[in-house]
Structure formats: C-alpha cells, structure tokens
C-alpha cells in the first residue's frame, strides 16, 4: 500500500479522526505504525503477538479518539501509551505472569532471567542500531519499567534498592535522555 | 507542595515510564493542570521518552495495515448513521444481544455435543460390561471344561454308555463316568430329549442279582453333572421324573446301559 502523500498537522489529524475519517486514520497508521510495532515487538519478543497488539491498539485509537485530551500530552504519546499498555497486559497475561509471582521468592533467578531476556531483546532481528547511548543503570531502569512492565516495588526488590531510589534513578535516566536530546537537536 | 520538590522527586519520570501508581497518576495530572512549570517539565520528559522509543521502530508487514484498515471498515459498515448516534449504548446493547445469541447457540451446540458424548460413553460402558460378563462366563466354562476333560482322560473313571430306549428316546445316548476308587460319578447327555419344564432326568443304579436299585440322583440335561454311586452296579437306567427327583422310580425309562465287569 502506498503511503498517503498528504500532510496533516497534529491538530488537523485529531479533528479528522474525531470525524471518523479513514484517510486520516490511514495517514496516522503510516506514520505511527513502525514505532508502535517496534514497541510491541520489544515488549513481547513475538511478531505474532506484537501484530495482534498493534491491531488492537489502532482499533482502540480509532474508537477512543474522543477520549484523547491534548492537555495530557501529544497524540503520539497517547498512541504509544495505548500500545505499550496493551502489550504489557498481554505480557502479564502470559508466561511472564508466573515469573512475576516468583519475584519476591527468587530474586536472583528473576534478575538473571531479566538480564537474559533483555539480551535477547536487543539481539532481536529488525531492531535498528540504538544510537542513544545511556548509562547501564539508566538503560536498565527504562527497560524494566517501560518495556518489561515491572512495578516500582518490583524494580526495588529485584535491584535491591529502596523504593525512593527507583524514582530518583528514573528521574536521572530521563534527565540523561533529555540532555542527549538537547545536544543533538 | 513545593513545585521544585515535586519535579525532583522523580514522580514525573515514573509517570512517563508508565509505572506510576494510580494515586501518583492522579497527583501528576492534577499538578500538571495547576502548574504550567510542571506541565512543561512533563512535556519535555514525554518528548525525550518518545525520541528514545522511536529508535526501536520496526516496519510492520504490509499485511498488517490491510488487517487494521479492514477491521475499521467492517466496524464502520455496521455503524448507524450519525443522526441516530446519540450514544454508544445502542452498539453495546446490540453487541450484547448478538453475543448472547451467539453464546446461546454455542451453548446449545456444546450441550448437544456433550449429550451425544454422554450417550456414546453409556453405550460403550454397557458394551464393555456385557463383554466382561461374557468373558467371565467363557472363562468359567473353560475352567469347567478343562476339569471335565481331566475326568474323561482319567483311567480310574470307567465309562458306561447308556443307549436310548426305542419307544422313548431312540438313537440317543448318555455317558456315565464312574470312579470306583474315589466313589465319584458324573453323567453327561445332550442327545436325550430335553426334559419339559418341571421335569428332570434321574439316574438309577441296579444290581440285578441282589434285586437292588438305588437312586444316583437327578442331573441337568446338557451339563456334565455329578451323580452318586457308592458301589459297582451292573446297569444304569435313566428315567424322567418330576423336578428334584423321587425316592422310587415312577416315570418312564429313557436309556439303559450295562457297566462292564
């Protein structure tokens, strides 16, 4: 399918989507799908599951566009959050759920498992070279929370750090991302 | 709350990373609405996260777009014109009814399937128990036959053939096996006429010279049956008597045989 050549501004796009304009939706798909799919794939490590989640997420965007409030952030953030949540839900509904329950019992094992799975993830074919270089501890906290869906409490337990430190580390991680952005743009 | 403290606590970061608790989420949204500085900080962090996430982009297969667009089209084709579209409860209701019907049909179908399976199992169970019964019967018959054969082959048993009498049982035979040592005896016949209901054959032993006759007992037709014989007779006679036998022969004689001396 050829990409729509027309350009929509974000506010135009949102207005058209609210009118159930399928052309606008097609444009949204073309522009957002690679990142949406990339996020789902990184979380689930399964093309099949990731594609299911992407389809589910786009349908949700189509059906719930009325609920989007620009005061809560950009459309892109909203869309990505939808797919991220759907993917995490799927992750929790499946095999990872068992591992989650064992967190407090077998911390070391889970920690190792986490290390292995992130290694697998980054070796996943199709991922572009990640140019944004982060400190290991910052990368880890983003991986565990955003991509693995561990709660703050679980992260604290697994890493053996106080709950307050999880927030501090998250903040430091995002500050690093931010500085990287200001340097490069 | 001090705005700077709020920002530095990292609560905005955990919010952006999607791991804020429900309480924290509400707090962040409330504070962002109240304070532009917080809103600004939040936007910057979200943008940074978006940039980071964007690096992981992977082009999905082309077929996925077709699926997504088709799903939207299918959904929209079932949509009621905008005039009627006051609220979404109507779709909810329609979908619920459709689901209910679907579920009812599925339930009915599954119930039928289940019933069929139950019936099949019941039939199989009956067949199985019948077969087990048959097998048991055959086994006990086989055991009996083996025992009977061991009698037949035992040289201690003397065999006497009884021949059917002309007027009552022509061309019929019975066989008596008598063991003098163990004083046991058996009789077998299936060639004499089958006794009518309420009647039974009875075997008599006879010593002519002493003019003594003794009752050797009633027996079942068609079965290898034990009878009583405590001394060597000259002859065996079979009569047809009422069921259970009689002390002195009353019925007609059916067969007679001479014991070899």
């Amino acid at each position: 399918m050829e990409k729509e050549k027309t350009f929509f501004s974000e506010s135009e796009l949102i207005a058209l989507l609210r009118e159930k304009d399928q052309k606008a939706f097609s444009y949204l798909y073309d522009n957002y799908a690679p990142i949406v799919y990339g996020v789902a794939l990184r979380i689930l490590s399964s093309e099949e599951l990731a594609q299911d989640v992407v389809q589910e997420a786009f349908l949700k965007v189509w059906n719930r566009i009325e609920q989007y409030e620009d005061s809560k952030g950009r459309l892109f953030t909203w869309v990505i959050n939808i797919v991220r949540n759907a993917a995490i839900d799927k992750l929790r509904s499946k095999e990872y759920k068992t591992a989650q329950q064992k967190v407090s019992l077998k911390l070391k094992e889970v920690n190792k498992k986490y290390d292995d799975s992130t290694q697998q993830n980054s070796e996943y074919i199709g991922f572009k070279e990640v140019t944004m270089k982060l400190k290991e501890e910052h990368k880890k906290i983003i991986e565990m929370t955003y991509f693995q869906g561990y709660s703050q409490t679980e992260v604290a337990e697994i890493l053996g750090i106080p709950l307050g430190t999880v927030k501090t580390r998250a903040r430091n991680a995002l500050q690093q991302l931010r500085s990287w952005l200001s340097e490069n743009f | 709350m001090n705005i700077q403290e709020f920002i530095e606590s990292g609560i905005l970061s955990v919010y952006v990373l999607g791991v804020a608790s429900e309480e924290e989420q509400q707090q962040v949204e409330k504070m962002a609405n109240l304070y532009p500085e917080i809103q600004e900080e939040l936007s910057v962090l979200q943008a940074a996260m978006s940039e980071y996430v964007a690096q992981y982009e992977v082009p999905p297969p082309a077929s996925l777009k077709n699926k997504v667009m088709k799903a939207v089209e299918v959904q929209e084709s079932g949509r009621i014109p905008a005039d009627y579209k006051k609220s979404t409860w109507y779709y909810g209701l329609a979908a619920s009814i459709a689901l209910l019907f679907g579920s009812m049909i599925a339930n009915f179908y599954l119930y039928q399937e289940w019933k069929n399976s139950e019936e099949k199992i019941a039939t199989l169970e009956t067949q199985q128990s019948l077969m087990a019964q048959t097998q048991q019967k055959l086994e006990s018959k086989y055991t009996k036959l083996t025992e009977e054969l061991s009698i037949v082959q035992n040289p201690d048993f003397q065999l006497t053939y009884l021949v059917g009498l002309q007027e009552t049982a022509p061309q019929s035979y019975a066989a008596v096996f008598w063991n003098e040592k163990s004083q046991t005896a058996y009789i077998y016949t299936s060639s004499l006429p089958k006794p009518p209901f309420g009647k039974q054959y009875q075997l008599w032993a006879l010593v002519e010279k002493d003019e003594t006759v003794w009752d050797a007992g009633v027996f079942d037709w068609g079965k290898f049956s034990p009878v009583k014989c405590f001394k060597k007779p000259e002859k065996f006679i079979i009569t047809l008597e009422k069921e259970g036998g009689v002390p002195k022969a009353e019925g007609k004689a059916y067969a007679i045989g001479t014991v070899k001396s």
Side-chain angles (χ1 to χ4, degrees), chain A residues 1 22 25-26 29-30 34 37-39 42 51 62-63 71 76 84 131-132 150 152 167 171 178 181, chain B residues 8-9 13 17-19 24 39 41 44 48 50-53 55-58 60-61 65-66 75-76:
Chain A
M1 202 173 281
Q22 293 191 19
F25 185 67
S26 168
Y29 181 92
D30 288 339
Y37 184 55
V39 167
R42 184 156 186 90
Q51 286 172 26
W62 174 260
N63 287 320
S71 62
F76 179 82
R84 188 247 172 200
T131 47
M132 221 181 260
Y150 286 110
Q152 295 178 61
K167 276 195 188 64
R171 173 167 156 78
R178 184 190 197 163
L181 271 181
Chain B
E8 279 168 10
S9 72
S13 298
L17 286 170
V19 289
E24 287 170 337
Q39 179 66 66
E41 177 74 10
V44 171
S50 294
E51 278 305 317
Y52 181 69
V53 162
Q55 296 176 108
Y56 292 105
E57 69 170 19
V58 178
K65 181 172 183 182
N66 296 337
Q75 194 190 304
E76 291 311 299

Side-chain angles (χ1 to χ4, degrees), chain A residues 95-121:
Chain A
E95 58 277 356
Y96 274 81
K97 204 175 177 184
T98 351
Q100 294 278 328
Q101 286 165 344
K102 288 178 188 161
V103 160
S104 33
L105 296 172
K106 298 183 172 182
L107 297 182
K108 275 185 185 171
E109 236 173 79
V110 175
N111 198 15
K112 189 184 174 299
K113 196 180 167 181
Y114 157 76
D115 281 333
D116 291 348
S117 73
T118 37
Q119 242 166 8
Q120 275 168 18
N121 276 346

Side-chain angles (χ1 to χ4, degrees), chain B residues 92-106:
Chain B
L93 181 64
S96 303
I97 291 169
L99 274 175
L100 178 65
F101 274 110
S103 155
M104 279 165 76
I105 291 164

Side-chain angles (χ1 to χ4, degrees), chain A residues 132 134 137-139 141-143 145-146 166-182, chain B residues 7 10-19 41-53:
Chain A
M132 221 181 260
L134 287 174
E137 95 177 11
H138 295 149
K139 197 178 167 188
I141 202 129
I142 292 174
E143 284 296 328
T145 53
Y146 193 84
V166 177
K167 276 195 188 64
T168 321
R169 222 174 260 191
R171 173 167 156 78
N172 292 341
L174 290 202
Q175 289 305 320
Q176 214 197 336
L177 281 187
R178 184 190 197 163
S179 64
W180 192 92
L181 271 181
S182 55
Chain B
I7 290 173
I11 190 172
L12 295 177
S13 298
V14 292
Y15 179 85
V16 169
L17 286 170
V19 289
E41 177 74 10
L42 187 61
S43 300
V44 171
L45 292 179
Q46 278 173 337
M49 194 59 202
S50 294
E51 278 305 317
Y52 181 69
V53 162

Side-chain angles (χ1 to χ4, degrees), chain B residues 4 8 39 61 70 74 80 83 108 159 169 176 184 192 204 253:
Chain B
Q4 207 50 40
E8 279 168 10
Q39 179 66 66
K70 194 151 270 171
V74 165
I80 287 161
D83 306 357
F108 180 73
L159 174 59
V176 171
T184 50
L192 284 176
W204 307 91

Side-chain angles (χ1 to χ4, degrees), chain B residues 169-232:
Chain B
Q171 292 174 345
S172 303
Y173 302 93
V176 171
F177 300 85
W178 178 57
N179 186 334
E180 192 168 14
K181 279 187 201 166
S182 65
Q183 301 218 323
T184 50
Y186 294 91
I187 185 164
Y188 182 79
T189 178
S190 63
S191 79
L192 284 176
K194 199 175 176 179
F197 186 77
K199 299 266 184 176
Q200 233 178 345
Y201 284 121
Q202 194 166 354
L203 183 69
W204 307 91
L206 183 80
V207 182
E208 266 178 320
K209 58 173 186 193
D210 298 344
E211 290 182 341
T212 52
V213 176
W214 67 91
D215 168 24
V218 291
F219 61 90
D220 287 331
W221 180 89
K223 272 189 186 165
F224 202 89
S225 314
V227 281
K228 303 164 282 185
C229 189
F230 306 110
K231 69 175 189 184
K232 190 174 181 175

Side-chain angles (χ1 to χ4, degrees), chain B residues 237-255:
Chain B
I237 299 167
I238 292 171
T239 60
L240 187 67
E241 306 293 349
K242 64 180 181 193
E243 202 171 336
V246 287
K248 276 189 177 177
E250 294 166 4
K252 280 184 181 171
Y254 273 71

Side-chain angles (χ1 to χ4, degrees), chain B residues 147-171:
Chain B
E147 283 168 20
E148 290 162 11
L149 280 171
S150 74
I151 291 164
V152 170
Q153 70 168 5
N154 186 343
D156 289 342
F157 278 93
Q158 189 182 352
L159 174 59
T160 306
Y161 285 111
L162 284 72
V163 182
L165 296 171
Q166 200 60 40
E167 62 256 50
T168 45
Q171 292 174 345

